[in-house]
Amino acid sequence: MTPEIRRAALCSGGAIAALAVVAFVAQVGQVAPWWVLVPGGVLVAGLAGLAGARMGREDAVRAQALEPGETVLGAHAVRPPYANHDPAGVYETPPFQLRVTTRGMQLWERSVLLWNHPWPELRVVLDGPRLRVLHEGRDAGVMLLERPGAEHEVLLTARKYGAG
């Protein structure tokens, strides 16, 4: 793990842990004695810190994959189009993310880059509610975007940057 990724994980974990403890104390502090608040706060801080560190690490790994001068135009949570997949829980990040950049598209599964293709090599089409991404004539991905209407944003961005 590089120092940048470690720093991002620690900062994110610490910030999320602090916010979680403040929220815990604000909720429970009025009715619970101190001897319940202390172990409860430690437990909440630990769990929230772990989750925050994982999110910070994922963000830092994804940021390192960008080329110099490349910027992220949008990041969209996606799910497999045909699997019986339950949506992510309230405190859980979706496992798949489609990132649209000024250079092309990237598909991530947590902190693993599944593919990264530049715009001129891509063809992006809508297949009903599904976004179909073709790379050199073959399917690179067929996916459902979590947020309604996001597939149209991706399609417009693809056309703007030269995808077929």
Side-chain angles (χ1 to χ4, degrees), residues 33 44 145 161:
V44 165
L145 278 65
Y161 283 92

Side-chain angles (χ1 to χ4, degrees), residues 34-50:
W34 71 269
W35 51 270
V36 171
L37 285 178
V38 171
V42 169
L43 179 65
V44 165
L47 293 174
L50 287 174

Side-chain angles (χ1 to χ4, degrees), residues 123-145:
R123 184 166 172 249
V124 182
V125 294
L126 290 180
D127 182 13
R130 295 173 186 86
L131 183 72
R132 183 178 295 272
V133 180
L134 302 163
H135 177 251
E136 297 177 347
R138 295 184 310 254
D139 271 343
V142 179
M143 58 201 80
L144 290 169
L145 278 65

Side-chain angles (χ1 to χ4, degrees), residues 56-125:
R57 180 184 173 282
E58 286 178 9
D59 288 344
V61 167
R62 291 172 181 170
Q64 279 189 342
L66 296 174
E67 292 185 4
E70 183 178 17
T71 58
V72 176
L73 302 172
H76 306 280
V78 298
R79 55 190 165 99
Y82 303 109
N84 187 8
H85 181 73
D86 294 331
V90 176
Y91 300 107
E92 187 179 331
T93 57
F96 295 100
Q97 184 183 62
L98 180 70
R99 288 172 49 116
V100 178
T101 71
T102 52
R103 183 183 167 277
M105 294 175 79
Q106 302 174 341
L107 183 64
W108 291 85
E109 182 177 7
R110 304 216 187 273
S111 60
V112 176
L113 180 61
L114 299 177
W115 53 258
N116 180 13
H117 301 301
W119 288 118
E121 297 175 5
L122 293 176
R123 184 166 172 249
V124 182
V125 294

